[in-house]
Amino acid sequence: MRKGRIAGIPAWKRGLLVAVIGLTAVGAAAGIRAREAEDGSAMAMGDASGEERQRSSGPQTKVQSAETKKIALTFDDGPHPRYTQKLLDGLKERGVKATFFLLGTNIEGNEEIIKRMAEEGHLIGNHTYYHVDITKLSQEEACREILDTSKQITAITGQPVEYIRPPFGNWDKELECEVMMLPIFWSVDTLDWTTKNTDQIVQKVVKNIEENDIILMHDSYDSTVLAALRIIDLLQADGYEFVTADELILE
Ligand code: NI
């Protein structure tokens, strides 16, 4: 029941998206929506296309399963000076790419961590500066929240920021800022910040996981980092491939 909730994504390419300035209705165009607010259980849908773009082409050690099942781990509210590094170490060991939606307030002092995220191939997105509900702000304030955060990230990574996870899952699709952002929601909310219980987080994800799921976690807790790495080990063994979230919402 989680699948097929996407309302048709135009065949835009990412490069094109960043080039377009001042367009509106980004959220609507992306056709993704949260069912409920962040930090409650929520649902969003990514790519519904069954086509697999990347197939392993390594030596034929065993019969390949028909298709790779892709899922994405996403981490909000970071970076955290300690736990994000630990997470990055674990992701690197496992060859996994993840997505980080950063808070502007957590950028200063964590520049090296952010640079490392980019260098190691993770997707870096925007989570506003002060973790605000975009829909409760004036357009000017909302844009400042987004643009200030993106600017800081870009100053560190040298790369444009194209994606946003709006706090609480509240996105104003009429918002017109100088730079267009695509919202990325989620389909599995681990509620990691409420339980801080590694086993519970792991179970919640592993029991209910489906192809193309986008999993919401927070890299501000040791319990989450441990859970994320265990989830990777369990699901990789089950044939899942971890990709950055943009791969599940575009094309
Ligand atoms: Ni958040």
Side-chain angles (χ1 to χ4, degrees):
M1 77 176 213
R2 280 192 188 148
K3 305 307 167 197
R5 294 172 60 86
I6 195 145
I9 297 172
W12 300 347
K13 297 291 180 248
R14 251 189 294 159
L16 177 63
L17 288 176
V18 262
V20 180
I21 290 176
L23 289 188
T24 61
V26 180
I32 42 184
R33 52 191 162 277
R35 189 179 57 176
E36 293 174 26
E38 180 180 17
D39 305 335
S41 113
M43 183 171 282
M45 226 19 259
D47 180 11
S49 141
E51 285 185 343
E52 296 301 325
R53 294 178 294 282
Q54 292 179 334
R55 298 281 289 274
S56 163
S57 56
Q60 296 186 331
T61 48
K62 57 182 173 182
V63 178
Q64 291 270 334
S65 63
E67 289 182 342
T68 310
K69 300 174 285 185
K70 293 184 179 183
I71 49 175
L73 290 178
T74 65
F75 298 92
D76 289 9
D77 297 3
H80 185 281
R82 182 159 165 204
Y83 301 128
T84 305
Q85 304 237 50
K86 186 174 173 182
L87 176 60
L88 288 171
D89 290 342
L91 294 174
K92 191 175 182 187
E93 274 171 34
R94 291 161 177 80
V96 163
K97 308 290 182 235
T99 303
F100 293 87
F101 293 100
L102 308 185
L103 275 183
T105 46
N106 285 341
I107 291 175
E108 201 181 321
N110 291 319
E111 290 86 351
E112 288 307 312
I113 298 175
I114 296 169
K115 199 180 282 182
R116 181 180 169 192
M117 282 175 186
E119 283 169 0
E120 295 183 356
H122 303 294
L123 179 65
I124 301 177
N126 190 319
H127 197 49
T128 75
Y129 207 90
Y130 291 108
H131 206 275
V132 292
D133 181 342
I134 287 289
T135 61
K136 294 200 162 65
L137 299 180
S138 71
Q139 175 159 301
E140 192 191 342
E141 289 169 324
C143 289
R144 193 181 314 135
E145 279 280 338
I146 295 168
L147 296 174
D148 285 357
T149 307
S150 289
K151 207 162 126 188
Q152 283 206 37
I153 294 171
T154 300
I156 296 165
T157 64
Q159 296 165 13
V161 180
E162 302 164 49
Y163 299 95
I164 183 167
R165 169 159 289 151
F168 318 104
N170 293 342
W171 179 241
D172 176 6
K173 52 186 198 287
E174 305 298 325
L175 188 65
E176 286 187 57
C177 300
E178 287 164 48
V179 179
M180 180 169 140
M181 306 287 290
L182 266 179
I184 294 181
F185 299 96
W186 60 90
S187 55
V188 176
D189 188 348
T190 61
L191 296 177
D192 57 339
W193 62 282
T194 58
T195 68
K196 296 186 191 151
N197 180 316
T198 300
D199 289 337
Q200 278 184 33
I201 300 165
V202 170
Q203 283 312 308
K204 183 156 185 147
V205 173
V206 172
K207 273 187 186 167
N208 302 310
I209 195 76
E210 291 180 45
E211 190 177 350
N212 294 326
D213 268 335
I214 296 176
I215 300 158
L216 169 62
M217 309 182 93
H218 300 82
D219 49 333
S220 333
Y221 309 102
D222 198 32
S223 49
T224 293
V225 173
L226 295 171
L229 300 179
R230 210 188 294 166
I231 286 165
I232 292 168
D233 292 339
L234 290 167
L235 294 182
Q236 277 186 333
D238 198 23
Y240 284 93
E241 182 192 355
F242 289 84
V243 299
T244 51
D246 53 336
E247 278 200 44
L248 299 184
I249 65 159
L250 291 174
E251 295 182 38

